Amino acid sequence: MTAGTTSPPRTAPAPARAPRSSREGLAAVGFIAPALLGFVVFYFWPTLRGLWFSLTEYDFFSRPRFVGLDNYARMASDETFWNAMKVTVQYVAINIVVQTVLAVLIAVLLQRVTRSVFVRSVVVLPFLISNVVVALLFYWMLDAQIGIVNAAITGLGLDAIPFFGEQDWVVPTIALVNVWRHMGYTALLVFAGLMTIPEGLYEAGRVDGASEWRMFWSITLPLLRPVLALVLVITVTGSFQVFDTVAVTTSGGPGDASRVIQYYIFDLAFQRLEFGYAAAVSVVLFAILAAVAFVQLRLTRANESDLA
Amino acid sequence: MTVTTPVEPAAAGPTRASGPTAARAPRDRRVGVGRVVAWATLVLIMLVTLFPFYWMLRTALSNGTELATNPSSPLPVGFTFGAFERVLGLSTTAQAQAQGGSGAAIDFWLYLLNSLLVATLITAGQVFFGALAAYAFARLRWPGRDAVFFVFLTALMVPPIFTQLPNFLLMRDLGLLNTYAAIVLPFFFMTPFAIFFLRQFFLGIPREVEEAAVLDGAGTVRRFFRVIAPMASGPLITLAILQYIQAWNEYFWPLLVASDRSVRVLTVGLGVFRSQTPQGTPDWAGLMAATLLAALPVVVLFAVFSRRIVDSIGFSGIK
């Protein structure tokens, strides 16, 4: 970042500098032009357009009609919307709590027991498979009649569980399927954070006679907090946008039991052709995600000095 | 909440705590109860991770019609490659139906080609244009650079669904629905992550490396292609692998803009295949054979580059 002056042995670094700078400016425009084009056309412009559509009534065929804040007012009394919110929050809560606990457990095991690349590869493998494949795989394994999981459950003398077929089961089921897919990946993010904690801390702890358990609570967890906050931003904002698993397995059912917010937006836009309203709901989703990220990043920054 | 207390003594403590590599040596090797429990937990986690993959394979090698008779058999029921054959279009409709297939074609080869084409184009564009932009952000001096970079970074925060609705309309208005262009274009020119990922690496290259090329009269374009890009081949490959996997697995966007048979990618094809038998018993053996084949390219990529991928994940999270 600080330019040329850092290399004293070179005798004459100065002369080339001034003209180079302006030529570099011109070249830089060429270098970022494609990315800038992509940014303006596919990120910036659609963002503005999405905000505009949220203020209109639009069915894809006639021209969008400006309706002010009507869409937002409608949301307030839209039971399906509130149900979608509730379902999504339930999903996020189950998904994140289970996933984070398991990920920290796996990460600590990876650090304290083995650092083998093979073990790390195995745990991250599900993350590399597409959501669609994972959804189909578990739809099969959790099948009510001949799925292996229910075969095991009935084998134990218990009643078969209609994982995807019953209101109370469907959200936890989808949440746990996605835990299976993501826990290894999240564990590797946490693991990267663990590697920044100096081993000396644990040695000092051991010299003081602290148990592994004790060291986890008073060394690992406190020092991991900034990384954990960052990981949570990524995983929470990601899991708010759950779609693929729902679309492939239940299409939002039974009833509205798994109609998560992103599926509702998709449904509104492309099945009910209420594009303006769909845009408004996506603005709300955007706002929620921004708020989550903002709060969590504030927490991160507050803790940044921990290891410094 | 009292966080800083444990840090002070240790930071000033043993000198060998210098880095991740130094941390390896002095570990406790006693075989205690805790260690056994820890290993057992790890093995259990690995089993939970791997079992579904085995079950996918076991089902794919089963005979579809016999599958229901012995649902919990740990081995394939009525071992056959029939499921793979009908997914790949190698068996006749009659043969397929005799083994529990629906008779509906999945056009696996077409979807495979579509996926290959789309993922390759997206990856090539993202890596190439991302590298150019990252170079400008990391190593060229120009007014407003940091502000523009910040704007690019904020794009990381916008949830895809928010831009995808208007982008769908854009594609429709351009008359591009159900074309490869519609799937590829929004991802082709930029992804904030690619720019960020490469910028970090470019920042770490010493200035002196380029100074020599400057003295030889090389312009920016030449310096980028002849000096910087070759030095960055490692990170460029890593990024390409990560983006390829992501593009390969993308479902929502291709579903929106390109669900038509001719341009359908594998993820969308699998979703359609599954919904073709909503009532009757799905062709599970066929479905599992198809999912296995759809996941195969990524698994192979992973088998070859696992260390690279695993190592880069820690970095990719610390955006």
Side-chain angles (χ1 to χ4, degrees):
Chain A
M1 290 305 237
T2 50
T5 44
T6 40
S7 51
R10 190 145 294 155
T11 38
R17 191 103 318 159
R20 205 184 121 196
S21 220
S22 61
R23 262 190 294 129
E24 277 192 358
L26 264 179
V29 173
F31 275 91
I32 66 159
L36 203 59
L37 174 79
F39 177 79
V40 170
V41 176
F42 297 109
Y43 284 80
F44 185 68
W45 170 238
T47 301
L48 291 184
R49 237 181 144 198
L51 286 171
W52 156 248
F53 282 126
S54 80
L55 303 173
T56 67
E57 202 181 287
Y58 184 32
D59 64 358
F60 283 111
F61 303 109
S62 46
R63 296 177 60 83
R65 190 170 64 84
F66 182 76
V67 293
L69 295 175
D70 280 9
N71 287 326
Y72 295 93
R74 179 180 157 189
M75 240 178 276
S77 56
D78 177 355
E79 276 177 33
T80 317
F81 168 76
W82 287 111
N83 179 66
M85 274 295 170
K86 195 188 81 186
V87 169
T88 309
V89 170
Q90 275 174 0
Y91 167 85
V92 172
I94 299 171
N95 182 272
I96 293 302
V97 170
V98 179
Q99 178 178 303
T100 309
V101 170
L102 284 175
V104 171
L105 172 72
I106 296 170
V108 170
L109 289 174
L110 285 179
Q111 198 215 9
R112 311 294 295 160
V113 179
T114 173
R115 290 183 186 169
S116 132
V117 174
F118 173 74
V119 176
R120 275 186 275 161
S121 304
V122 168
V123 295
V124 83
L125 188 58
F127 180 74
L128 304 170
I129 310 301
S130 79
N131 280 322
V132 175
V133 167
V134 170
L136 285 170
L137 175 54
F138 275 88
Y139 199 63
W140 158 231
M141 289 179 48
L142 300 175
D143 184 82
Q145 267 88 48
I146 54 171
I148 178 65
V149 176
N150 267 322
I153 290 173
T154 49
L156 291 172
L158 302 168
D159 287 338
I161 299 172
F163 287 101
F164 288 103
E166 209 164 78
Q167 300 245 339
D168 297 336
W169 282 104
V170 67
V171 171
T173 299
I174 293 173
L176 292 181
V177 167
N178 284 332
V179 166
W180 179 80
R181 180 168 184 260
H182 290 275
M183 67 182 181
Y185 175 79
T186 311
L188 286 197
L189 296 182
V190 177
F191 176 74
L194 284 177
M195 298 302 277
T196 64
I197 300 176
E199 184 74 11
L201 290 186
Y202 295 103
E203 278 166 35
R206 218 169 278 128
V207 170
D208 292 345
S211 64
E212 283 283 338
W213 186 246
R214 178 73 212 280
M215 287 197 284
F216 172 76
W217 287 103
S218 44
I219 299 174
T220 309
L221 213 51
L223 290 178
L224 205 54
R225 216 152 36 126
V227 174
L228 221 46
L230 210 58
V231 168
L232 278 173
V233 174
I234 299 167
T235 54
V236 172
T237 50
S239 67
F240 256 104
Q241 300 172 64
V242 54
F243 175 85
D244 301 355
T245 318
V246 172
V248 172
T249 55
T250 64
S251 308
D256 282 337
S258 64
R259 199 172 302 277
V260 291
I261 200 80
Q262 177 138 337
Y263 195 83
Y264 186 47
I265 294 171
F266 169 77
D267 203 20
L268 281 172
F270 298 100
Q271 257 124 46
R272 307 179 197 197
L273 301 185
E274 301 203 51
F275 200 81
Y277 188 46
V281 176
S282 73
V283 170
V284 171
L285 177 64
F286 188 3
I288 293 172
L289 296 183
V292 169
F294 178 76
V295 169
Q296 287 180 325
L297 283 175
R298 282 295 292 270
L299 292 176
T300 323
R301 212 160 288 151
N303 284 335
E304 239 163 24
S305 56
D306 276 16
L307 253 183
Chain B
M1 290 298 149
T2 52
V3 192
T4 39
T5 30
V7 189
E8 305 304 336
T15 42
R16 47 187 163 167
S18 49
T21 39
R24 228 167 205 295
R27 208 116 45 77
D28 200 352
R29 285 288 169 198
R30 277 175 304 158
V31 183
V33 180
R35 213 163 177 78
V36 172
V37 172
W39 266 108
T41 315
L42 201 56
V43 168
L44 182 70
I45 289 166
M46 287 170 72
L47 281 180
V48 169
T49 304
L50 288 176
F51 179 77
F53 290 102
Y54 171 71
W55 206 247
M56 182 156 56
L57 180 67
R58 169 265 185 198
T59 309
L61 292 172
S62 294
N63 181 310
T65 32
E66 291 174 34
L67 205 52
T69 59
N70 198 355
S72 49
S73 156
L75 292 174
V77 186
F79 182 93
T80 170
F81 288 106
F84 287 101
E85 282 167 8
R86 66 178 174 275
V87 167
L88 296 174
L90 298 174
S91 59
T92 64
T93 312
Q95 281 172 331
Q97 276 167 337
Q99 293 196 347
S102 65
I106 179 170
D107 283 330
F108 186 85
W109 294 107
L110 175 67
Y111 303 164
L112 180 75
L113 277 178
N114 287 342
S115 275
L116 279 171
L117 180 72
V118 163
T120 305
L121 281 174
I122 289 175
T123 305
Q126 283 184 346
V127 172
F128 182 65
F129 296 127
L132 289 181
Y135 179 72
F137 282 122
R139 307 195 66 87
L140 299 178
R141 270 161 290 128
W142 44 285
R145 183 182 69 179
D146 294 344
V148 175
F149 182 66
F150 179 77
V151 171
F152 271 71
L153 272 194
T154 54
L156 273 174
M157 297 300 302
V158 182
I161 180 84
F162 189 70
T163 48
Q164 277 166 342
L165 292 186
N167 275 338
F168 169 83
L169 286 180
L170 181 67
M171 291 306 161
R172 187 196 65 169
D173 296 345
L174 293 173
L176 291 176
L177 287 187
N178 290 318
T179 65
Y180 296 119
I183 315 179
V184 171
L185 275 178
F187 305 103
F188 190 64
F189 295 105
M190 91 139 213
T191 153
F193 172 68
I195 296 174
F196 180 81
F197 184 91
L198 293 174
R199 178 179 172 267
Q200 286 305 99
F201 179 79
F202 290 161
L203 282 175
I205 301 176
R207 280 241 151 224
E208 285 72 17
V209 172
E210 269 188 282
E211 297 290 347
V214 171
L215 291 180
D216 291 344
T220 40
V221 175
R222 205 186 164 82
R223 294 208 305 272
F224 174 76
F225 283 104
R226 287 292 163 79
V227 182
I228 300 297
M231 286 184 76
S233 60
L236 287 172
I237 292 170
T238 303
L239 179 70
I241 297 165
L242 290 177
Q243 303 302 80
Y244 198 90
I245 291 172
Q246 206 180 346
W248 185 267
N249 289 338
E250 179 71 30
Y251 176 66
F252 189 72
W253 179 248
L255 177 72
L256 288 195
V257 296
S259 52
D260 188 74
R261 241 194 88 244
S262 61
V263 288
R264 198 179 282 164
V265 294
L266 266 176
T267 47
V268 178
L270 286 175
V272 172
F273 191 38
R274 129 105 177 92
S275 59
Q276 271 168 345
T277 49
Q279 255 68 50
T281 321
D283 170 16
W284 285 117
L287 257 177
M288 289 302 111
T291 53
L292 200 63
L293 289 171
L296 204 57
V298 168
V299 173
V300 169
L301 207 58
F302 185 59
V304 178
F305 294 106
S306 59
R307 177 178 278 274
R308 208 181 260 282
I309 295 172
V310 163
D311 284 345
S312 64
I313 284 173
F315 173 79
S316 68
I318 315 301
K319 291 178 185 176

